[in-house]
Amino acid sequence: QVQLVESGGGLVQAGGSLRLSCVASGRTFSNYAMGWFRQAPGKEREFISLIFWTGVNTYYADSVKGRFTISRDNAENTVYLQMNSLKPEDTAVYYCAASRSLTIATMGLTSKYGYWGQGTQVTVSS
């Protein structure tokens, strides 16, 4: 079992920044690829970003590319999502998720992630 706990959400004005953290416990964190998703009211959960085990390979949805940065600290069992130039359309609950069995082709599929955090709310005001 892997337990994931997100933090760092909040209310910010458009153009502002937030950094989300996700702390993992339970299994060997470095064995898992870590993803960030978000879900706005009335919408499906949306893939945002992924970082593989080594931390070298990262991927982003087009909607956040150039504004968000994912990173991980395996020694601290933590993955981060730095969010800059936030827009009102970034408002959502943000979730981190862990997977040991995905590829670049499947990284956007929620079914490929076996563990999820409880989510943290991000609200961007205009």
Side-chain angles (χ1 to χ4, degrees):
Q1 287 288 336
V2 174
Q3 292 79 42
L4 303 174
V5 179
E6 304 99 332
S7 62
L11 173 64
V12 64
Q13 288 189 333
S17 298
L18 284 173
R19 189 174 83 153
L20 305 183
S21 300
C22 172
V23 179
S25 61
R27 294 285 182 90
T28 305
F29 177 71
S30 58
N31 290 344
Y32 290 82
M34 299 298 297
W36 284 97
F37 288 73
R38 68 186 180 188
Q39 188 166 19
K43 294 188 176 182
E44 293 188 353
R45 196 164 294 191
E46 172 191 20
F47 170 80
I48 295 300
S49 184
L50 174 75
I51 187 165
F52 275 105
W53 300 263
T54 63
V56 173
N57 301 101
T58 59
Y59 301 87
Y60 300 91
D62 288 343
S63 58
V64 305
K65 198 172 295 182
R67 300 188 297 123
F68 290 11
T69 303
I70 191 171
S71 61
R72 67 189 293 162
D73 184 340
N74 287 340
E76 296 294 329
N77 290 353
T78 303
V79 61
Y80 303 97
L81 186 69
Q82 178 66 43
M83 306 187 296
N84 298 329
S85 302
L86 283 162
K87 305 174 181 180
E89 51 263 43
D90 294 318
T91 295
V93 177
Y94 283 69
Y95 299 89
C96 68
S99 176
R100 292 193 63 179
S101 60
L102 52 73
T103 65
I104 295 173
T106 63
M107 61 182 175
L109 300 177
T110 57
S111 60
K112 290 297 183 180
Y113 296 79
Y115 303 99
W116 293 83
Q118 82 290 347
T120 186
Q121 176 71 46
V122 171
T123 303
V124 184
S125 63
S126 57

